[in-house]
Amino acid sequence: MQSNQYLIDFYSNYDEEKRLLLKHGSVEFLTTMRYIEKYVTPGNHILEIGAGTGRYSHALARQGHAIDAVELVEHNIEIFRKNTQPGENITITQGNAINLSAFSDNTYDITLILGPLYHLYNVTDKRQALREAIRVTKPGGIVFAAYVISDGCLLDEGFMHGNINVAEYIKNGLLDSKTFAAKSEPKDLFELVRKEDIDHIMSVFSVNRLHYVAADGTALLMRDAIDKMNQDTFELYLKYHFAICERMDLIGITSHAIDIFRKPT
C-alpha cells in the first residue's frame, strides 16, 4: 500500500480532538473506552496503531498504563507530542499499520487499531493490518479493530443531513443501486463496510470474537438532538446506548463499529 496523500492532507487539516469532544462524538469514545476498560488490567502494555492525536493513548496512559503508539500523519504526531503530560509512560512512532516490523511478536496485552481500517481499500491490505496487529499481540491478548459502517453513514450523511447526494453516488458507482453497498477509493478517504464484509475479512484468522459493538449507534444520525441534551438526559441516553450497543437487530445502523477479539493462547 502506498501512502495515501488524500489521507495525509485530510488529517493535516482536520480537528479530530474536537470531533470526539462533542457530545455526539463522545459516544464513540466513551463506548470504546468502556470496552477497553473491561479487559485492561494494571501493568498491561498497550499498542495503539493509527493513534491519531492520541485521544485514546493519552487517556489510557493517564490511567497508568504503558502505551506505545504508531501514527502515519506527521501533523497528528506533533499534536500527540504536545498533548503528552509529564509522567505518561508513552511513546509515539511514525509508521504504517500494514508494516509493524519495528515491533516484536507477542509483545502487547492489548492492541488497538481504531483508525487504519477506515482507510484501507481492499481486503488484502485490511488483512495485512490485522495480521500485524495480531502478530504483535501476546497469546491470549485482545485486539480492538474499528470500522466505518456504510448504512449508518448513508442514513446520517445522505438521507438525514444531505452531505452526500445519494442519487449521484449511485450514478457514479459508489453505491450499488440494488443493495446500497458502498464502494470506496483512496480519494473518498473512508472505506465503508458492513458486518458481512468484516466477517469475510476475519474469516482467515483463528481468533475468538468477544464483542461486536456499535461504537456510536445512532449518535451521528441524532447528532443535533444529542448535542442539545442537558447532562442528565445525555447520561440517560448513554445508559440506553450501552444497553443496546451489541444487539444484532440494531447494530447495522451505527456509523462506527468495533470488532473485539482474543488471540489464541
Side-chain angles (χ1 to χ4, degrees), residues 184-217:
S184 304
E185 298 176 358
K187 65 181 176 62
D188 303 313
L189 291 175
F190 294 95
E191 167 78 340
L192 308 181
V193 298
R194 288 171 164 167
K195 183 177 180 293
E196 56 262 37
D197 302 315
I198 298 169
D199 290 342
H200 173 65
I201 292 163
M202 293 301 299
S203 64
V204 300
F205 298 111
S206 298
V207 297
N208 176 28
R209 178 177 280 163
L210 302 171
H211 308 276
Y212 181 84
V213 182
D216 46 14

Side-chain angles (χ1 to χ4, degrees), residues 23 30 228-238:
K23 271 197 178 82
L30 293 169
K228 292 176 183 176
M229 289 177 180
N230 62 37
Q231 192 59 31
D232 287 344
T233 304
F234 181 60
E235 288 177 5
L236 186 60
Y237 173 80
L238 282 176

Side-chain angles (χ1 to χ4, degrees), residues 212 243-252:
Y212 181 84
I244 67 165
C245 64
E246 291 191 57
R247 279 184 53 166
M248 286 297 112
D249 57 338
L250 297 173
I251 208 161

Side-chain angles (χ1 to χ4, degrees), residues 248-260:
M248 286 297 112
D249 57 338
L250 297 173
I251 208 161
I253 201 172
T254 193
S255 294
H256 298 85
I258 318 165
D259 197 17
I260 305 170

